[in-house]
Amino acid sequence: MAAVIGAFGYVGAVDPNEPGHYPVCPLLRFTGLYCPGCGGLRSAHAVAHGDIAAALGSNALAVVGYGIFAVLWVVWMSRAARGRPVSIAVKPVVGWGIGALLLAFSVVRNLPFGSALAP
């Protein structure tokens, strides 16, 4: 968790909206297409500053991912504090579902009607 807090602290301190601080997405650079992670650093920067509206505008799926990660971390910590098993079992279908969601998000944000999802 210290690494996650440190990463969010760094992204919060070093603005990804200013060019030159972070590398450009290779998919965007070479194809002009947005990957599911494009805008993720800008959304993390906005979340670190408490601007959820800007974060959702940069990468809505990343913001949802931050929330899911936070909930899973709280569940894991509460189980560990009570001496219960700390593993969270996930069925393979969940992984396939996440992959399908990322693929659909990538396709939609690159189409004209999905331009609201583009960073």
Side-chain angles (χ1 to χ4, degrees), residues 6-16 22 40-42 44-45 48-49:
F8 261 88
Y10 180 79
V11 172
V14 181
D15 191 358
Y22 299 97
L41 285 175
R42 290 186 293 273
H45 179 77
H49 288 273

Side-chain angles (χ1 to χ4, degrees), residues 20-107:
H21 292 292
Y22 299 97
V24 177
C25 172
L27 184 68
L28 180 62
R29 182 176 191 170
F30 294 120
T31 67
L33 298 173
Y34 297 116
C35 75
C38 281
L41 285 175
R42 290 186 293 273
S43 74
H45 179 77
V47 167
H49 288 273
D51 190 357
I52 302 301
L56 288 169
S58 293
N59 190 326
L61 194 60
V63 176
V64 171
Y66 305 149
I68 291 171
F69 177 80
V71 167
L72 289 176
W73 184 77
V74 167
V75 168
W76 180 73
M77 289 299 295
S78 67
R79 284 183 176 184
R82 288 185 269 147
R84 296 176 117 186
V86 293
S87 65
I88 298 174
V90 178
K91 296 182 179 183
V93 71
V94 173
W96 285 102
I98 291 170
L101 177 67
L102 291 172
L103 180 64
F105 182 70
S106 297
V107 170

